[in-house]
Amino acid sequence: MATNSTRRATAEVSTDLLKGSIRFFTIVLMVTAAAAPLVVVSTYIPISFANGAGMATALTYVAATLILLVFAVGFAQMAKRITAAGAFYNYTTQGLGRPIGLGAGWTVMLAYSMIVPAISGGFGYFTSAMLENYFGWAVPWWVCSVAGVILMFVISYFKVTLTGKILGVALGLEVLVVFFVATAVIVQGGAQGQMPEVFNPAGWLAAPAIGIGFFFAFWSWIGFETTAIYGEETTDPKQSVPRATYIAVITLGVFYSFAAYAGIVGFGDQTMEQAGSLVGDYYFVLADMYTWHFMRVLMDFLVITGFFACAFAFHNNASRYFFSMGRDRILPAALGRTHDKHKSPYVANGVQAAIAVVVILLFALGGADPLLQLGGWLPIFCTAGVVFVQLLVSLAVIFYFNRVGRSGPGATWKTLVAPAIGVVAQAIVLVLLVVYIPFLAGADVVVVNLIPLYVLLIALAGVVYALYLRKRRPEEYARIGKIYDEEELPDALDATVGGEAPARH
């Protein structure tokens, strides 16, 4: 039997995040850092030129912007009703019931968790190259990657506002540099003048692998859900989260489309050929051609901070999913603890850091390439998992508002029509990704080609575990997707698509 002191110790364990610590501007910085503009421009857009959407890459980013903007309509409506660190996990639970909610939660949690080592591989690669080129130090990429992850844990141990300040400085510099280089290319007319024809949809028919083009486009946005993940720590989340989501989707879409168009103009008809040979040096060469050499040097350093900022943002995202599951007692309760002083989910941060280090070391021991394999194969899984969960969230929006009712101007568009379009659009993207995975990874790489199966098995495992809890441990089952907000949810939530009452206070 527990003693009084044991009960007091248990009761004193902190499980609350630091409410009101994050302001609107910090949310925008966090989600934009997760999208990593310079990382996308320096690495993924050139790969799409050569092996994805080809000359239609800029158009593909425009299309991805519109698809995600439509998805954001329903997502924002859920954010106005529900504030929770689990975001996709909580939204799906409230709309589609606990079993599907837990399946979605596990899928997105593991997808975000794997993004950290994937991006850290790029951080290690570019850091190792920078140390060799500028200082003559031969440091293995994996040492740099592991050191980066350890630094992420140390910083995230403290208040998340420190994270926002760090990301803000790095992000501001990299956005300015890329914008300057892209503008210089376009203003000077590139290799053969402006090329508005690249926005003709017929260009998709000539693309090397349009599914891969959309994969890289959606991968470039992975993490914009950050706006909702930090809802519990945000001042006025019901207003801040929806506004930050729209701003992030639109500004990133314009930025990526602009940078991709500049990349095409820079080399003109030779774009695909040059991208195939230059790959990660593509935009660095453009900087040398159309600006000054010191811009190239600045990009060499900023690409490192860009990779770090991106991995850092996802480290915090994944940690909050582990925290949310721990707080709900779906995973060990220790994951749901927060620091007594800083209110950071320090246990979850430590677990996420350990997972990232183990994955990095496993790839290093296997002799993997940090960019093409660690940084190329894992993103396929991450993107497939997140797009699949976004599809479920769109369905959840429809079912949730079917239950609680629709009111206000444009309610049918916001909570029925737009989410339905989002379901169809994301289903098409998933099909294209599945069809073109062998093209990206190689037809003989079985472990990569089975990625869609992994995603389904993880989601199914979550559903099965939820059903097990419902039968064997009903109290824990009732906590799945619980909302930790000040406001009670509407009484209409007592019915769901599965005929069960969803989680509430």
Side-chain angles (χ1 to χ4, degrees):
M1 186 173 181
T3 65
N4 289 336
S5 60
T6 301
R7 290 194 189 98
R8 284 196 300 271
T10 302
E12 290 171 1
V13 171
S14 174
T15 59
D16 295 324
L17 295 167
L18 188 59
K19 298 184 182 298
S21 62
I22 303 179
R23 300 193 179 279
F24 172 75
F25 184 64
T26 304
I27 301 180
V28 176
L29 285 177
M30 294 291 283
V31 69
T32 310
L38 184 54
V39 172
V40 171
V41 169
S42 65
T43 306
Y44 301 114
I45 289 179
I47 297 176
S48 186
F49 286 156
N51 303 305
M55 301 296 283
T57 296
L59 175 62
T60 303
Y61 274 94
V62 172
T65 303
L66 296 176
I67 292 172
L68 288 173
L69 195 56
V70 171
F71 167 79
V73 171
F75 177 81
Q77 296 309 303
M78 291 294 274
K80 290 179 180 178
R81 293 291 192 104
I82 299 169
T83 300
F88 283 171
Y89 158 56
N90 296 95
Y91 295 172
T92 309
T93 299
Q94 296 299 320
L96 301 178
R98 294 185 182 94
I100 297 178
L102 187 57
W106 278 14
T107 303
V108 74
M109 178 180 69
L110 291 175
Y112 279 174
S113 182
M114 289 299 103
I115 290 176
V116 180
I119 299 299
S120 295
F123 170 78
Y125 171 84
F126 283 103
T127 302
S128 177
M130 184 271 290
L131 293 175
E132 176 73 25
N133 294 336
Y134 289 93
F135 301 99
W137 301 343
V139 182
W141 68 265
W142 60 269
V143 173
C144 298
S145 295
V146 170
V149 172
I150 293 173
L151 180 58
M152 292 172 208
F153 167 70
V154 172
I155 298 174
S156 62
Y157 182 85
F158 300 99
K159 294 179 181 179
V160 75
T161 48
L162 177 61
T163 302
K165 293 175 183 177
I166 294 171
L167 297 183
V169 174
L171 178 65
L173 287 174
E174 64 179 274
V175 167
L176 286 175
V177 168
V178 173
F179 181 77
F180 183 82
V181 172
T183 301
V185 172
I186 293 175
V187 169
Q188 294 176 50
Q192 58 194 66
Q194 304 304 317
M195 303 178 68
E197 65 273 15
V198 301
F199 291 103
N200 186 339
W204 279 327
L205 300 176
I210 188 58
I212 300 306
F214 272 99
F215 155 67
F216 282 118
F218 275 83
W219 168 245
S220 302
W221 262 281
I222 293 296
F224 77 90
E225 180 211 4
T226 298
T227 55
I229 290 176
Y230 291 101
E232 290 186 44
E233 301 160 81
T234 304
T235 54
D236 191 19
K238 306 298 185 186
Q239 298 298 321
S240 297
V241 170
R243 282 191 289 128
T245 301
Y246 285 124
I247 289 174
V249 171
I250 293 172
T251 54
L252 285 172
V254 172
F255 182 85
Y256 290 147
S257 302
F258 179 71
Y261 175 70
I264 295 171
V265 170
F267 283 109
D269 291 338
Q270 297 298 310
T271 293
M272 294 171 63
E273 179 182 341
Q274 292 291 338
S277 60
L278 295 174
V279 192
D281 287 329
Y282 189 92
Y283 277 88
F284 295 87
V285 172
L286 286 179
D288 267 338
M289 292 171 58
Y290 293 95
T291 62
W292 304 277
H293 181 67
F294 83 87
M295 294 296 294
R296 162 68 182 265
V297 175
L298 186 58
M299 289 177 69
D300 282 339
F301 284 87
L302 286 178
V303 73
I304 295 173
T305 63
F307 269 99
F308 181 83
C310 179
F312 193 16
F314 278 106
H315 169 82
N316 283 283
N317 290 3
S319 296
R320 276 156 178 75
Y321 269 102
F322 281 115
F323 163 79
S324 185
M325 295 281 184
R327 187 171 58 175
D328 287 352
R329 305 295 194 271
I330 305 305
L331 293 179
L335 289 169
R337 295 178 183 171
T338 55
H339 193 279
D340 290 339
K341 177 182 178 182
H342 306 300
K343 297 302 180 182
S344 63
Y346 69 104
V347 178
N349 281 334
V351 170
Q352 172 54 45
I355 291 173
V357 168
V358 169
V359 173
I360 290 168
L361 292 178
L362 286 175
F363 272 81
L365 288 172
D369 184 281
L371 281 183
L372 298 179
Q373 293 169 330
L374 177 57
W377 291 353
L378 283 182
I380 300 175
F381 165 74
C382 300
T383 303
V386 172
V387 174
F388 172 66
V389 172
Q390 287 179 177
L391 186 154
L392 292 179
V393 171
S394 293
L395 284 173
V397 174
I398 296 172
F399 281 101
Y400 177 86
F401 283 96
N402 279 349
R403 185 173 68 249
V404 303
R406 297 179 172 87
S407 61
T412 301
W413 158 252
K414 295 175 182 176
T415 63
L416 179 60
V417 178
I421 295 173
V423 170
V424 175
Q426 288 172 106
I428 293 173
V429 171
L430 276 175
V431 170
L432 288 172
L433 176 57
V434 171
V435 169
Y436 283 96
I437 282 179
F439 180 89
L440 182 64
D444 58 337
V445 185
V446 178
V447 69
V448 179
N449 291 321
L450 291 178
I451 281 176
L453 179 61
Y454 305 154
V455 173
L456 290 176
L457 288 177
I458 292 169
L460 182 60
V463 172
V464 171
Y465 186 60
L467 295 176
Y468 163 78
L469 292 177
R470 184 169 68 181
K471 183 176 182 180
R472 300 291 186 183
R473 289 145 62 181
E475 289 185 3
E476 293 183 17
Y477 176 77
R479 296 179 65 88
I480 295 176
K482 182 178 177 181
I483 304 302
Y484 296 80
D485 193 14
E486 294 84 356
E487 300 176 16
E488 288 286 343
L489 295 174
D491 291 338
L493 285 177
D494 289 339
T496 73
V497 293
E500 55 168 300
R504 56 188 298 177
H505 288 288

